[in-house]
Amino acid sequence: MRTWARSERPTDRRTTGAAVPDQPAPSRPDQPALSRPSQPEHVPVAPHRQALRLLPTPFGTPFTFCFGLLLIATTLLVEFADPSAVTRLLAGSSADVENLKNEPLFVLVASALFHSGPLLSPFTIGFVLVLTALERRVGGWRTAAVFAVGHVLATLATQLTVAVAVALDHLPESSLTRFDYGISYGVLACTGALAGVLRVVWLRWVLLAGVGTMVVSDLVSLTDPLTNWGHFLALLIGIALWPLLRRYQQRGSAAPRRA
């Protein structure tokens, strides 16, 4: 590689005339001018695409999608199958005190696979919206863990209370076999957890205020004390998981992303 430098030469006294100033080298026409790289423009997302992100998909939110299909199947089974067969099925899947004493692991799982109500209800709608939003933020495994922790802990806490109340003669012995199944504990735990990972602060408190008002009003009215206390505990369990989920969010945002 050649290096070009301008050298100073002594002036020849025999040379007369004014010195010619240095002329800048003409730019070649085939050499493009350097320019700054253009900044990537923000491409707005179509409203219908934003709305579709609220719903589960098999690849974007596989846990919510597959769990939702399973709940649809079991709900239709309970609705249209033979009533006597449905009663036996629910009796064997109920997380009541007697079943928890005999088959704890089986009934803790099976009791979360049935929805106690119509296919379209506040809890099924909340299941779709809340679990989809949580899974898009923390992933499928963590969403499943939040649901399981809320369901298991709230179930054990309420059923232990029933067992103690029966032992103290505050409740009849029939309470030991009272049906206890459904998705409400897991959904409320996921709702409490979702509020902690929302980046829009006002939306976080609106969500907590709305759901908290519903839970507390049911708890005050005591229409179903066992379920009402379970709902309250499940919501608190989801809130208690904020530090773990936020720590994961911080690690995920700090990690380099591939283009």
Side-chain angles (χ1 to χ4, degrees), residues 6 67 101 103 115 132 139 163 189:
R6 202 176 71 188
F67 197 1
K101 184 172 63 176
E103 297 178 301
H115 167 56
T132 298

Side-chain angles (χ1 to χ4, degrees), residues 255-259:
R257 298 182 179 180
R258 294 182 179 181

Side-chain angles (χ1 to χ4, degrees), residues 4 25 42 44 75 129 143 149 153 186 193 203 205 221 228:
W4 297 88
H42 175 70
T75 303
L129 298 179
T143 302
V149 168
L153 293 185
L203 185 59
W205 299 116
S221 62
N228 297 151

Side-chain angles (χ1 to χ4, degrees), residues 71 73-100 103 106-117 159 176-183:
L71 285 175
T74 56
T75 303
L76 293 177
L77 177 66
V78 170
E79 183 71 22
F80 298 106
D82 179 65
S84 59
V86 169
T87 301
R88 291 193 301 270
L89 178 63
L90 294 179
S93 303
S94 170
D96 52 56
V97 176
E98 284 294 329
N99 285 343
L100 284 173
E103 297 178 301
F106 173 77
V107 296
L108 283 173
V109 174
S111 60
L113 305 181
F114 295 90
H115 167 56
S116 55
Q159 293 302 323
L176 298 177
T177 56
R178 178 181 181 270
F179 281 4
D180 186 18
Y181 63 91
I183 60 172

Side-chain angles (χ1 to χ4, degrees), residues 181-207:
Y181 63 91
I183 60 172
S184 57
Y185 294 163
V187 171
L188 283 170
C190 289
T191 303
L194 174 63
V197 296
L198 290 175
R199 300 192 183 277
V200 182
V201 178
W202 66 266
L203 185 59
R204 172 188 310 162
W205 299 116
V206 167
L207 176 63

Side-chain angles (χ1 to χ4, degrees), residues 34-65:
L34 298 177
S35 59
R36 290 185 177 182
S38 59
Q39 297 294 332
E41 297 181 358
H42 175 70
V43 179
V45 181
H48 71 278
R49 291 184 177 273
Q50 292 180 344
L52 289 177
R53 284 184 59 82
L54 300 176
L55 302 176
T57 59
F59 299 106
T61 54
F63 168 71
T64 306
F65 185 84

